[in-house]
Amino acid sequence: MTQQSSTHAAVWTGAAGILFDLDGVLTPTAAVHERAWQELFEGYLAAHPEVRGYSESDYFDHIDGKPRFDGVRDFLSSRGLTLPEGPLDDDPANETVHGLGNRKNRIFSDIVSAGVEPFEGSVRFLQAALERGLKVAVVSSSRNAPAVLAAAGLSRHFPVVVDGVVAAEQGLPGKPSPATYDYAAQLLDLPSEDCVVVEDAVSGVQAGQAGSFHSVIGVDRGAGRQALLDAGATVVVGDLQELIP
């Protein structure tokens, strides 16, 4: 074992549970989310030529890792725009915060319906964790987490899924608050201090850093290694397979 792999393995040594973000950590659906957000806001901003258009950096700067409707609000705020909230189940055709959020969800669901292939290295890391007897959970801001897990063939591994629906039902604030991760640890019947957080988004790493967790693993899928370290990651890898001794 190399010194680097030994150091990496230590980041989850002694843990009793691992709390995985979903999109960008277990599945490549972060790219699907990014594509759906781009399609949503490029279409919306086409009617507002006086406003600066959507760019790739907007996803990481204002949206990545946040609950869907917070992403809508924060992006609009970055352009000096505000919209009425609308009802939670607002028609995707309506120009409200919830309408735009539901429109984005429809775009995302259409893309995901074709199937999802999980990251091979993440599946191997998950298997290694299960073989060690660790408890695992998924903690995702997305309201689509169960559907994505099913499409990726991973549902059977995760008896605990804390997603955007659960967070809303329990009144839990989204990332960068650690509340959803703490709740997942509670459902696993583990203290947060015994759980590792695995995240690819800056807001998610901030959530892990803000809590009392064993450690925070950052997976760099585009946010940037230094950005994840600055947000509080204990270690940053390009693939979770790097953490398997």
Side-chain angles (χ1 to χ4, degrees):
M1 184 187 301
T2 66
Q3 181 177 359
Q4 182 183 44
S5 61
S6 178
T7 301
H8 282 181
V11 80
W12 56 303
T13 298
I18 300 187
L19 311 177
F20 293 88
D21 178 45
L22 177 60
D23 302 312
V25 170
L26 292 172
T27 63
T29 38
V32 180
H33 280 291
E34 188 173 357
R35 175 180 162 190
W37 282 110
Q38 180 178 357
E39 184 173 330
L40 169 72
F41 284 125
E42 284 184 346
Y44 173 73
L45 292 179
H48 299 272
E50 76 284 358
V51 176
R52 177 167 53 90
Y54 185 88
S55 64
E56 182 178 345
S57 63
D58 283 317
Y59 178 72
F60 296 105
D61 291 342
H62 308 298
I63 299 168
D64 188 24
K66 299 177 182 177
R68 187 195 322 155
F69 302 123
D70 286 348
V72 173
R73 295 183 193 98
D74 289 353
F75 174 80
L76 292 175
S77 178
S78 76
R79 298 304 194 268
L81 299 171
T82 57
L83 286 175
E85 289 290 300
L88 191 62
D89 61 349
D90 207 354
D91 192 306
N94 292 338
E95 292 198 351
T96 63
V97 168
H98 291 131
L100 288 183
N102 293 335
R103 191 184 310 174
K104 179 266 172 182
N105 190 55
R106 184 174 62 185
I107 296 168
F108 176 84
S109 296
D110 287 345
I111 299 171
V112 166
S113 63
V116 176
E117 188 70 28
F119 289 112
E120 183 177 348
S122 296
V123 172
R124 290 179 179 175
F125 178 76
L126 169 62
Q127 291 171 339
L130 293 172
E131 287 170 3
R132 289 189 178 196
L134 274 68
K135 296 181 179 181
V136 297
V138 162
V139 181
S140 173
S141 298
S142 174
R143 291 170 174 258
N144 299 297
V148 171
L149 284 169
L154 297 175
S155 298
R156 68 187 184 279
H157 298 303
F158 294 101
V160 170
V161 177
V162 178
D163 65 354
V165 174
V166 173
E169 290 174 348
Q170 297 297 319
L172 303 173
K175 305 168 188 178
S177 165
T180 51
Y181 276 113
D182 281 326
Y183 187 62
Q186 178 184 332
L187 293 179
L188 290 178
D189 197 26
L190 292 173
S192 296
E193 291 84 355
D194 290 350
C195 295
V196 177
V197 169
V198 188
E199 268 285 355
D200 72 308
V202 168
S203 61
V205 169
Q206 290 171 334
Q209 194 276 334
S212 301
F213 298 100
H214 175 283
S215 55
V216 183
I217 297 170
V219 185
D220 183 12
R221 306 287 192 195
R225 179 179 182 276
Q226 193 58 51
L228 295 174
L229 288 172
D230 290 345
T234 309
V235 66
V236 176
V237 295
D239 191 293
L240 285 175
Q241 185 170 298
E242 297 172 36
L243 298 172
I244 303 174

